[in-house]
Amino acid sequence: MNEQVNPKRWMVLISVGIFTLMSTLDGSIVNIALPVISKDLNIQMNMAEWVVSIYLVTICIFLLMFGKIADSIGKIKVFKCGSILFIIGSVICGLSINLWMLLLGRVIQAMGASMAMATNNGIITQTFPSHERGYALGYIGSFVSIGAIAGPGIGGLVLGQLHWSYIFWINIPIGLVALTLGYFNLPKKEVTNPTKFDVAGFLLYFVTLVLLFCAIFIGQAVGFSNIYIIATFIVSAIFLGIFLKIEKTVAQPMIELRIFKNHDFTLGLVAGFFIFVTNFFFNVISPFYLENALGIAASSAGYILMAFPLVQVVVAPISGKLSAKVNPIILTIVGLAVIEIAQLGYLFFNINTGIWFILLCIGLNGLGNGLFQAPNNTMIMSSVKSRDLGIAGGLNTLSRNLGMIIGVSLSTTILFLSMSKFYGKSVTTYINGRPDIFIEGMHATMTFAVVICLIAIVMSVIRLIKSRGSKNE
């Protein structure tokens, strides 16, 4: 029996892809503007980081909930509502006159983004026939990867000509175009599967993440040795244990834990998580290194940082095609090795480093990510059965966003602790006139990135050994 092919499927892909790119891009585009926002709103650098963190945290908290709701009432309905909410949030961000208004706009943006992210893989899966599905999902994966990494570069280009608020204003015309395309091309009817929502599971999941993120971000300000921070981590772990126990017993859980028994899926997911953590170390550090330490204008910094996504855009499709001829796990290991070389290169950055060497390291990072992301995403999605594609896509998106959050929080924590140690007293922002203190902190921070990337390499080698072992059985 032949599958019914939607003649508008490629327009659906464009509409979904635009919002996927925008929602992911907004998780990283603000990084380059943090020094400007910090100065304009008269707030310290560690407070400015909340503009990035609260967006990613909100997505992580509501992503799976909206995925479950979408399965019940329809993915397209949820996607459209999310798109509208994202545009409204962008308007509020653009109008912001203080930090609290900006944070409110970011939360609304993130709610919309989580609705779009929770449904994009499902919409593509139900729109495309099976022989084109992997290809289309690969494009969505590329939109996600490029959006997550290209933010600082694109943001720098905007800042070079316009006020920082235009980082959010540009979402409005682009979003309206995507909404128009979606209105005319997304199916008006779709198959729904009304199910009972796991309220208890969601509440436990919500409390676990809120406590965890509060402990992480407040701990950055008051210190992780604080008894209340330690207690919050412990309580978060207890709630996580209760959540996992309940999820094993309910008929329709928030998270299908059985999927983690698939080692290819789990190892690929964790390796991808570690690489997003690694990437966000430099994503957070680079604007302050280029703009504050080296004194480069935001627009020029944007051009420099664009080396990453530009190289990745060229390499990713090539890597995707190669994965059909070469063992994709080998490609991921090669990509990770190149990323590791780039991280080692960052350790040599100082106030006298030439632009050519900075571009080389950033370009190598883009090359490594281009080699790694496409085959890794393909392996994650192809390692599960068709009935689990939605679950796999949601968990893959969640792992990426968690990677971004941990990357932001861990990098800033290590940076400020290291700077405080070298300076001899507490530091929570860039110290004007003392680039040497920042450079020392940056080197300590990027050392951790080298280690995290190395762990991802080891995991991928284990995955290769396991796959060859299973073939020989």
Side-chain angles (χ1 to χ4, degrees), residues 9 79 123 142 244 260 273 334 342 351 414 444:
R9 62 193 182 282
F79 179 83
I123 291 172
S142 296
L244 293 175
F260 291 107
F273 164 79
V334 172
I351 57 174
I414 297 169

Side-chain angles (χ1 to χ4, degrees), residues 75-235:
K75 297 176 180 63
I76 293 171
K77 287 180 184 176
V78 173
F79 179 83
K80 287 179 178 178
C81 290
S83 302
I84 294 169
L85 203 59
F86 183 84
I87 293 173
I88 293 171
S90 297
V91 172
I92 295 172
C93 288
L95 293 171
S96 296
I97 57 174
N98 56 48
L99 176 63
W100 304 112
M101 185 176 177
L102 181 56
L103 292 178
L104 172 65
R106 290 292 276 172
V107 168
I108 295 173
Q109 258 195 326
M111 293 284 283
S114 63
M115 295 169 82
M117 289 181 181
T119 53
N120 55 14
N121 281 314
I123 291 172
I124 296 304
T125 299
Q126 68 187 23
T127 301
F128 280 79
S130 56
H131 67 279
E132 293 178 342
R133 194 170 295 151
Y135 190 60
L137 286 171
Y139 268 110
I140 293 296
S142 296
F143 281 131
V144 170
S145 297
I146 293 168
I149 303 304
I154 295 174
L157 301 183
V158 174
L159 288 175
Q161 306 297 324
L162 302 165
H163 187 262
W164 61 262
S165 59
Y166 281 86
I167 284 175
F168 304 107
W169 288 123
I170 59 173
N171 291 331
I172 298 168
I174 298 172
L176 290 174
V177 169
L179 270 178
T180 303
L181 287 173
Y183 178 80
F184 288 107
N185 296 290
L186 286 169
K188 305 299 180 186
K189 295 181 179 180
E190 60 178 326
V191 177
T192 58
N193 181 30
T195 56
K196 186 178 179 181
F197 184 70
D198 181 16
V199 177
F202 171 72
L203 290 176
L204 286 167
Y205 172 82
F206 178 88
V207 173
T208 299
L209 288 187
V210 169
L211 289 173
L212 174 63
F213 294 138
C214 283
I216 289 172
F217 294 121
I218 297 175
Q220 286 182 295
V222 303
F224 290 101
S225 60
N226 184 291
I227 186 65
Y228 296 108
I229 298 301
I230 295 172
T232 305
F233 275 120
I234 293 172
V235 174

Side-chain angles (χ1 to χ4, degrees), residues 273-312:
F273 164 79
F274 279 131
I275 290 309
F276 268 84
V277 173
T278 302
N279 286 334
F280 261 66
F281 265 55
F282 189 68
N283 255 22
V284 170
I285 297 289
S286 57
F288 296 99
Y289 170 64
L290 295 173
E291 295 177 50
N292 294 93
L294 299 188
I296 296 174
S299 56
S300 299
Y303 286 120
I304 292 169
L305 294 172
M306 281 299 289
F308 190 127
L310 288 176
V311 173
Q312 183 172 338

